[in-house]
Amino acid sequence: MHTDYISQINLEQARDQLWDILAPAITYLPVADQEIVELAFYQMIEAHGEQRRKSGEFYVIHPVEACLTLTQIHLDKDTLAATLMHDVPEDTEVSLRELAQTFNKEIIFLISGITKLSVIKYQGQDRYAENLRRMFVAMSKDIRVVFIKLADRLHNLQTLHHLPEHKAQRIAMESLEIYAPIAERLGMGRFKDQIENICFPYVYPEEYKKLISLSATEYQKRETQAEHMLDKTRALLDKEQVPYIQLHGRAKKYYSLFKKLQEKQDITVIYDLIALRVITQSVEECYSVLSQLHAYFDPVPGRIKDYINQPKDNGYQSIHTTVIDPETQITFEFQIRTEGMHEYAEYGVAAHWSHKQKAAFEEATFLNPERLKWIKELVDLGKEDLTEEEYLNYVKLDLFQDQIFVMTPKGDAISLPKGGTPIDFAYRIHQDIGRHALMAKVNGQPVKLSHELQSSDVVEIITDKKQKPSRDWLKFAKSVSTARSIRQDLRKIGVNV
Ligand code: MN
């Protein structure tokens, strides 16, 4: 944390010290924009005044910390100003309306998007689901809302140890279940990693301890091997005069190791425990590096993944390849990507708001509206008449699911949640095709509507006007939006759901 040492001093001193930290962090903005951030800063200090957090620190440290996180991505003035004032309407006497006298509509919208509903208005459980719903609605209008929410959450997590254990655990669990997957979906790897790392020991204390002791020796061994591999690779690329910007090793984070170990039992066959990373200037250089690596080391068949040509659903791009050193027989995974792709892997869609890397992003195919469709689905889901529990379950389900891509007979790619079935596909094409779906053909073979689809399957739906939606369909509809459409259709024909 940037502001650890600010304690036991009066508010004026704290204010001056905080401004001394924040001011140099926003110099990437035009001067006029810096002034707006400064205005927000002083307004926020005045509003929160002497309020303190559970830790005993001045409250004002919290919004500044959240703001500092976002200055690292070089976000714009509106986002920063809104971050500074994000808790003002809820926790102080100053209302949004009053802030609107000084600040522009965008700033006010961003603040209103993350302001929690007042306790009085929503008592008990429903408040939480309602806050989430509101956040998704705001996100679908302006994605920057979620950057602020993530930065806010991150600082709350960093100060989690000040809370009573059961409360800390609940917040950590919620962060693992909702906020880390949101960060992942948006390609914001750095946020996802930080959230998971902090929450893992709170949510799974036993497993965490076990994992640390289980992996300690393996990490040590791999580190030594990684050094050796890096030296070799450096020498190889230099000798062949293949240009690159950076070459380094990166240890897998504990939580992601934990998840991987649940699929694979043996830690010694996790080849990206320490991944070796080559960062280049251009896409072309990525492929030159790849071919050099394959010329010298032995590539493991089936382990080359070209996410440059076929980006992951969240926009992540990189080439992954696993190779064996012929001399030592040691196996390592390499990840090769450009600087722009690397920036995207860390900050995802937020990188779009960064001035610094703008040029680098425009060269690539990063943001496809199809990729942000899930946000709208979560919003639409909020309009359904679901109980709090149902809503949260759907949200978690949806956020956790990986995506597959299947094809229409014409060759259009359709993204579905992993485990998706022809009924998901049918409703995705059109509600009318969904409700009259009779059966499906997958790669030319007839299958049931409950058949589990795989990526790159070609799917065709056979419809019959007489066919009616069935309650059973809900059992194998994988996507939240399919389930919603089916329920709508069932109600229309008088079936109670
Ligand atoms: Mn906050």
Side-chain angles (χ1 to χ4, degrees), residues 253-383:
K253 297 279 188 285
Y254 283 122
Y255 188 65
S256 112
L257 176 61
F258 170 65
K259 281 193 292 187
K260 197 143 195 183
L261 279 174
Q262 290 176 326
E263 300 161 24
K264 280 187 190 169
Q265 294 299 312
D266 188 358
I267 192 169
T268 61
V269 297
I270 294 182
Y271 300 123
D272 63 347
L273 193 62
I274 293 179
L276 305 180
R277 219 173 252 165
V278 192
I279 311 286
T280 71
Q281 197 117 48
S282 68
V283 172
E284 216 179 13
E285 286 172 16
C286 289
Y287 290 102
S288 322
V289 170
L290 179 71
S291 73
Q292 276 313 316
L293 291 178
H294 282 184
Y296 183 78
F297 300 113
D298 301 326
V300 179
R303 297 267 324 187
I304 306 166
K305 292 183 200 109
D306 187 349
Y307 298 120
I308 292 184
N309 259 321
Q310 283 232 287
K312 284 194 187 179
D313 205 38
N314 66 4
Y316 173 86
Q317 289 187 296
S318 197
I319 300 171
H320 292 190
T321 183
T322 304
V323 299
I324 304 169
D325 180 357
E327 267 175 23
T328 59
Q329 296 300 310
I330 290 167
T331 310
F332 264 96
E333 179 176 302
F334 275 91
Q335 302 172 351
I336 313 161
R337 57 177 87 142
T338 66
E339 257 183 320
M341 292 169 188
H342 184 57
E343 185 86 1
Y344 189 89
E346 306 253 77
Y347 298 120
V349 293
H352 263 265
W353 273 264
S354 132
H355 306 260
K356 199 175 54 179
Q357 288 288 338
K358 213 161 190 141
F361 291 118
E362 277 159 7
E363 85 190 18
T365 52
F366 286 108
L367 248 202
N368 167 345
E370 176 84 3
R371 290 203 177 108
L372 294 178
K373 237 183 190 164
W374 59 275
I375 300 174
K376 233 200 125 267
E377 287 184 3
L378 293 177
V379 171
D380 291 344
L381 186 63
K383 293 175 195 147

Side-chain angles (χ1 to χ4, degrees), residues 53 59 62-63 66 83 86-87 91 116 149 152-153 156:
R53 307 193 86 209
Y59 196 90
H62 164 68
T83 309
H86 78 269
D87 281 327
D91 294 337
K116 288 165 257 147
K149 188 67 211 177
D152 173 38
R153 177 52 60 118
N156 286 333

Side-chain angles (χ1 to χ4, degrees), residues 49-105:
E50 302 268 347
Q51 285 176 358
R52 298 201 180 242
R53 307 193 86 209
K54 288 270 185 321
S55 58
E57 289 176 327
F58 282 119
Y59 196 90
V60 295
I61 290 176
H62 164 68
V64 173
E65 279 289 350
C67 184
L68 283 166
T69 301
L70 297 181
T71 62
Q72 291 168 6
I73 329 176
H74 285 197
L75 289 186
D76 63 287
K77 65 160 191 334
D78 291 343
T79 312
L80 299 186
T83 309
L84 285 170
M85 300 186 289
H86 78 269
D87 281 327
V88 166
E90 201 213 353
D91 294 337
T92 80
E93 296 293 307
V94 180
S95 67
L96 257 183
R97 196 173 295 173
E98 284 165 78
L99 293 179
Q101 291 168 2
T102 315
F103 297 97
N104 70 27
K105 269 193 207 133

Side-chain angles (χ1 to χ4, degrees), residues 65-327:
E65 279 289 350
C67 184
L68 283 166
T69 301
L70 297 181
T71 62
Q72 291 168 6
I73 329 176
H74 285 197
L75 289 186
D76 63 287
K77 65 160 191 334
D78 291 343
T79 312
L80 299 186
T83 309
L84 285 170
M85 300 186 289
H86 78 269
D87 281 327
V88 166
E90 201 213 353
D91 294 337
T92 80
E93 296 293 307
V94 180
S95 67
L96 257 183
R97 196 173 295 173
E98 284 165 78
L99 293 179
Q101 291 168 2
T102 315
F103 297 97
N104 70 27
K105 269 193 207 133
E106 283 192 58
I107 295 176
I108 300 304
F109 176 80
L110 290 172
I111 300 175
S112 70
I114 41 171
T115 294
K116 288 165 257 147
L117 295 170
S118 74
V119 191
I120 308 131
K121 204 166 155 199
Y122 280 90
Q123 277 188 345
Q125 281 211 319
D126 277 321
R127 201 173 143 233
Y128 172 53
E130 197 50 43
N131 283 330
L132 261 185
R133 279 191 189 128
R134 274 171 46 114
M135 188 180 76
F136 290 128
V137 172
M139 250 170 99
S140 72
K141 292 188 186 134
D142 191 331
I143 192 78
R144 291 175 298 176
V145 167
V146 84
F147 307 155
I148 303 174
K149 188 67 211 177
L150 288 173
D152 173 38
R153 177 52 60 118
L154 203 54
H155 184 250
N156 286 333
L157 290 176
Q158 282 159 345
T159 49
L160 212 53
H161 53 278
H162 294 295
L163 295 181
E165 202 171 302
H166 69 279
K167 209 175 167 192
Q169 238 168 32
R170 186 185 57 75
I171 294 175
M173 176 64 108
E174 175 194 309
S175 305
L176 269 191
E177 286 186 340
I178 309 267
Y179 291 100
I182 289 178
E184 173 154 40
R185 275 287 181 90
L186 294 172
M188 302 169 75
R190 172 94 50 119
F191 283 75
K192 173 193 150 275
D193 284 347
Q194 280 177 299
I195 293 172
E196 288 180 346
N197 281 343
I198 299 173
C199 298
F200 181 24
Y202 282 99
V203 179
Y204 304 102
E206 293 302 314
E207 290 85 345
Y208 176 73
K209 274 183 225 147
K210 251 189 241 161
L211 188 79
I212 299 279
S213 63
L214 168 87
S215 61
T217 6
E218 191 65 19
Y219 268 113
Q220 261 171 23
K221 190 178 98 196
R222 296 295 278 173
E223 245 163 60
T224 322
Q225 293 174 346
E227 284 306 321
H228 186 65
M229 282 293 274
L230 285 172
D231 287 343
K232 255 189 184 172
T233 309
R234 215 170 276 129
L236 169 74
L237 295 179
D238 288 349
K239 185 175 137 250
E240 301 295 332
Q241 296 186 325
V242 178
Y244 63 91
I245 297 174
Q246 238 195 79
L247 179 59
H248 61 260
R250 192 154 178 279
K252 200 174 192 58
K253 297 279 188 285
Y254 283 122
Y255 188 65
S256 112
L257 176 61
F258 170 65
K259 281 193 292 187
K260 197 143 195 183
L261 279 174
Q262 290 176 326
E263 300 161 24
K264 280 187 190 169
Q265 294 299 312
D266 188 358
I267 192 169
T268 61
V269 297
I270 294 182
Y271 300 123
D272 63 347
L273 193 62
I274 293 179
L276 305 180
R277 219 173 252 165
V278 192
I279 311 286
T280 71
Q281 197 117 48
S282 68
V283 172
E284 216 179 13
E285 286 172 16
C286 289
Y287 290 102
S288 322
V289 170
L290 179 71
S291 73
Q292 276 313 316
L293 291 178
H294 282 184
Y296 183 78
F297 300 113
D298 301 326
V300 179
R303 297 267 324 187
I304 306 166
K305 292 183 200 109
D306 187 349
Y307 298 120
I308 292 184
N309 259 321
Q310 283 232 287
K312 284 194 187 179
D313 205 38
N314 66 4
Y316 173 86
Q317 289 187 296
S318 197
I319 300 171
H320 292 190
T321 183
T322 304
V323 299
I324 304 169
D325 180 357
E327 267 175 23

